[in-house]
Amino acid sequence: MKKLLVVVAAAGFAWAAHAQSYPSRPITIVVPFAAGGPTDKSARDLAEALRKPLGGATVLVDNAAGAGGSIGANKVAKAAADGYTLLFHHIGMATMPTLVRNIPFKVESDFEYLGMVSDVPMTLIGRPTMPAKTYKELLTWIGQNKGKMNLGNAGVGSASHLCGLLFQNALQVDMTTVPYKGTAPAMTDLMGGQIDLLCDQTTNTSSQIEGKKVIGYAVTTSKPLTTPALRDLPTLQDMGLKGFDVTVWQGLYAPKGTPTDVQAKINAALKLALKDADFVKKQEGLGAVVVTDKRVEPAEHKLFVQAEIAKWSPVIKAAGVYAD
């Protein structure tokens, strides 16, 4: 029995020593999307902001794209639970359980939730030649063109795809969806009049609306936005779509079993990073709003994701779409 107690005590001491010395080598943040996109940019900004509160540690970003974000997420779920491999993921954490066939991990039980980072609002926009210039006019146009409308998106499982699904579901109208390989080609075709509508992040739409290259109809947030290009747009909720609230939120995760002391260190560093003036400014430049509410706490972060899973699952199932 004494021998067993010694072994347990030694293991506990080693575990505590590990947590106390963390981090002692570079940390990698896995982004499950291609480099250069909004999520990747936010992750790289966060990596920079985390270095100081983590004692000057090197924080790297590794892009592991594919399958609706599940390839990168699985890489982290299967990584050593030591705090040196983290996941930076967006709203896809809530949609993968329904959207991805045979997902090799469980979102709710295979990760430690470390805290939310930011929210990116979305906008409903139309081609510049659209006869409808306001949202109310758009509703009339939709009613007159059932079966003739098309709605672009940045690919199956993308934020624009999800927003489009929810919009159709809210209106109880079917549109021809046109998936693209990213927002850039979808936006190009929208500006060129090849597609009618697109719902995408303010990161990608604000300058186009401001330049009158597309028509801005509404924002997807529960409250109006204050940025110059978007402050005159109504919310879809105010336009009658009760409960319509879509933001591309982003959060930080670790493999299940990561020591609680290490989790606490990362969460504390995250809270400091979210108050970093340079980080906040960079996020504002991307059209993102840094989280300052209770979702920065791990438990609240998880509760929020669980609520989002419940929100998106029936929408995705009703649409019958999958990201293989």
Side-chain angles (χ1 to χ4, degrees), residues 191-257:
M191 292 189 295
Q194 280 74 50
I195 55 175
D196 297 317
L197 299 170
L198 177 68
C199 185
D200 209 350
Q201 301 175 55
T202 54
T203 307
N204 304 317
T205 64
S206 295
S207 62
Q208 310 297 358
I209 293 171
E210 194 168 27
K212 300 188 184 304
K213 295 179 180 179
V214 298
I215 299 173
Y217 289 116
V219 295
T220 65
T221 49
S222 59
K223 297 179 181 178
L225 302 179
T226 58
T227 52
L230 306 172
R231 62 189 174 197
D232 294 330
L233 298 184
T235 70
L236 286 172
Q237 284 202 44
D238 288 342
M239 290 292 98
L241 299 186
K242 300 302 180 185
F244 199 105
D245 187 3
V246 181
T247 58
V248 185
W249 46 266
Q250 300 175 131
L252 194 63
Y253 309 82
K256 184 68 176 180

Side-chain angles (χ1 to χ4, degrees), residues 142-229:
I142 288 174
Q144 296 171 343
N145 290 272
K146 290 182 178 179
K148 301 178 183 179
M149 302 161 290
N150 52 61
L151 176 67
N153 64 59
V156 176
S158 66
S160 59
H161 178 219
L162 298 170
C163 183
L165 289 179
L166 194 61
F167 182 61
Q168 292 178 80
N169 187 64
L171 289 182
Q172 292 296 294
V173 172
D174 289 327
M175 301 181 185
T176 299
T177 56
V178 185
Y180 289 82
K181 292 183 178 179
T183 295
M187 185 65 76
T188 297
D189 273 8
L190 183 73
M191 292 189 295
Q194 280 74 50
I195 55 175
D196 297 317
L197 299 170
L198 177 68
C199 185
D200 209 350
Q201 301 175 55
T202 54
T203 307
N204 304 317
T205 64
S206 295
S207 62
Q208 310 297 358
I209 293 171
E210 194 168 27
K212 300 188 184 304
K213 295 179 180 179
V214 298
I215 299 173
Y217 289 116
V219 295
T220 65
T221 49
S222 59
K223 297 179 181 178
L225 302 179
T226 58
T227 52

Side-chain angles (χ1 to χ4, degrees), residues 38 42 88-91 116-122 201-203 220-222 225 245-251 274 279-280 283-296 301 304 308:
S42 290
F88 187 86
H89 209 320
H90 65 18
I91 192 172
M116 294 281 289
V117 176
S118 63
D119 292 310
V120 183
M122 302 190 77
Q201 301 175 55
T202 54
T203 307
T220 65
T221 49
S222 59
L225 302 179
D245 187 3
V246 181
T247 58
V248 185
W249 46 266
Q250 300 175 131
L274 297 184
F279 176 72
V280 172
Q283 295 315 289
E284 288 175 346
L286 292 173
V289 179
V290 173
V291 171
T292 58
D293 56 47
K294 62 184 180 180
R295 293 174 299 160
V296 298
H301 177 193
F304 176 79
E308 288 284 284

Side-chain angles (χ1 to χ4, degrees), residues 19-94:
Q20 189 175 5
S21 63
Y22 177 87
S24 59
R25 55 188 173 86
I27 298 166
T28 298
I29 297 178
V30 175
V31 177
F33 303 102
T39 303
D40 175 68
K41 290 176 183 176
S42 290
R44 292 179 187 277
D45 289 343
L46 181 65
E48 181 65 32
L50 283 172
R51 286 176 181 143
K52 185 177 180 180
L54 284 175
T58 298
V59 185
L60 308 171
V61 172
D62 174 28
N63 297 92
S70 64
I71 290 176
N74 187 51
K75 183 174 183 178
V76 176
K78 302 298 189 291
D82 53 14
Y84 290 97
T85 305
L86 307 177
L87 173 67
F88 187 86
H89 209 320
H90 65 18
I91 192 172
M93 283 295 278

